[in-house]
Amino acid sequence: MTRNDRGVIAVLDEVTALVPVLRESGIAGEERRWIPDENIELLEKAGVFRIAVPRRFGGLGVPVADQAAVLNEIARADSATGWVSMIWVSSSWVPSLFPEQAQEEVYAGGTVRVSTGFTPSGTLTAGTADGDPGPGPGAPGDYTLDGSWKWISGSQGADWAVLAALLTDPDGTPVPHAALVPFSALSVADDWYSSAGAGTGSSTVTAVGVPIPAHRVLPLADVLAGGDYAFVPYFMAQGAAAYIGMAKGAYERFLERLPGRGITYTSWTDQAQSPVTQIQVAVAANKIEAADALQERWLRRLQEHADAGTQPDRAERAAARGRAAYAVQLAKEAVDELFEAGGASVILRDEPLQRFHRDIRGLSLHALFTFTTNQEVHGRAILGLAPDTAFL
């Protein structure tokens, strides 16, 4: 499949048309600490939440580069909406790793929004919530899920969650597993107060005695191993698309507000004539271009593996983390450059550029996207050392 797929073109065209509406919603999203419902409805109508759903369930099942292009465009409009869309789209592919029965349950409508929590802060217990120590209701191997997971982006509008929890082996060893849970069985706390990513609704979710059938539980190692795509490289690529989209949105907004602006307390009545500004905008443009180039190379390689039915080796997986994080760093530096060139008025709340700046800096602290951690993982692989992490 290629970008020539009419379904992908239609989704991209609709999302591009929505950019002004999504960008205008930024303040409202921050004030309610969750993206406006209208944004979700518009993106749903555009087909965004079908792009990673397998075609046999009525989804679009488009290649990863096309998924990234859609997410990039949403983030160009609004960082919070872009981030939440990235989480939902990248996570909606995960149920395809579960048994057929689970896939049929999750993908029944052909469109789905999935949020994830891969820190194993919950527990899975054989049996049911009523204390039955046996195999549980229905089929042997059913479980009960308990625990809380913080910072679950998109939790206020997701249909399903993939949550990591510890399941004790017969020998007493706790082993991380992933449980597929409908959000209707979880409680969502009103506890998301932040200075960055304020509109992402990344609240704490809690499970208390939630029965989980066996077909909706997998060892976390199996999830990380991936299916058509290697999961961590796939998620890193989707995440980088959102960060790069934020940088493009900031760059676009900088150019929009430049005409007619001077530089206060100088002789420059037209900021665009200043060599300093010319250098700043060129540096930002080239960092965004470099981030795009890094991303394009890895997206192509990831799709080549998917098309061939192969998996990237450990070195490639480590490189995916290193390159995606480097692309994120470049995008962040580009926004920093533009923010510094924006003048004092850039800090006003109704100015989208300051929101791109706060959000990309805050969201780049996400543990899986931090620059130094990922360069270490990549560097260890280059030097022939063990990666020292299971998240590859």
Side-chain angles (χ1 to χ4, degrees), residues 314-315 377-387:
R314 190 171 68 175
V377 170
H378 191 186
R380 290 180 68 87
I382 292 171
L383 298 173
L385 303 173

Side-chain angles (χ1 to χ4, degrees), residues 30 32 40 61 63 71 74 94 127 145-146 210-211 213 229 257 259 270 289 339 342 353 364:
E30 288 199 317
R32 73 193 298 244
I40 302 172
L71 297 173
I74 299 170
V94 179
L145 178 67
D146 293 275
V210 177
Y229 299 108
R257 67 195 302 269
D270 181 358
E289 186 75 17
F339 184 79
L353 183 49
S364 66

Side-chain angles (χ1 to χ4, degrees), residues 295-316:
Q295 174 81 328
E296 189 277 334
R297 178 183 178 187
W298 176 247
L299 288 171
R300 182 175 65 249
R301 186 63 183 136
L302 196 58
Q303 192 62 49
E304 287 172 354
H305 275 296
D307 292 344
T310 58
Q311 288 284 334
D313 60 25
R314 190 171 68 175
E316 285 183 302

Side-chain angles (χ1 to χ4, degrees), residues 231-320:
F231 175 69
V232 172
Y234 171 84
F235 183 74
M236 295 291 293
Q238 303 289 54
Y243 290 106
I244 296 170
M246 294 176 207
K248 290 178 178 178
Y251 177 75
E252 181 180 278
R253 179 56 188 158
F254 179 85
L255 295 180
E256 284 175 355
R257 67 195 302 269
L258 192 58
R261 289 181 55 84
I263 302 178
T264 306
Y265 303 129
T266 75
S267 60
W268 295 107
T269 57
D270 181 358
Q271 186 181 0
Q273 296 298 319
S274 166
V276 172
T277 299
Q278 294 158 8
I279 292 169
Q280 289 170 316
V281 75
V283 168
N286 282 304
K287 286 188 174 184
I288 294 170
E289 186 75 17
D292 254 340
L294 272 174
Q295 174 81 328
E296 189 277 334
R297 178 183 178 187
W298 176 247
L299 288 171
R300 182 175 65 249
R301 186 63 183 136
L302 196 58
Q303 192 62 49
E304 287 172 354
H305 275 296
D307 292 344
T310 58
Q311 288 284 334
D313 60 25
R314 190 171 68 175
E316 285 183 302
R317 289 170 182 255

Side-chain angles (χ1 to χ4, degrees), residues 107-161:
Y107 297 136
T111 179
V112 68
R113 304 189 294 267
V114 182
S115 292
T116 48
F118 282 108
T119 300
S121 54
T123 57
L124 281 164
T125 307
T128 65
D130 61 10
D132 178 4
D142 289 356
Y143 305 98
T144 299
L145 178 67
D146 293 275
S148 289
W149 295 261
K150 293 184 176 181
W151 296 15
I152 305 302
S153 296
S155 55
Q156 298 184 50
D159 304 310
W160 289 81

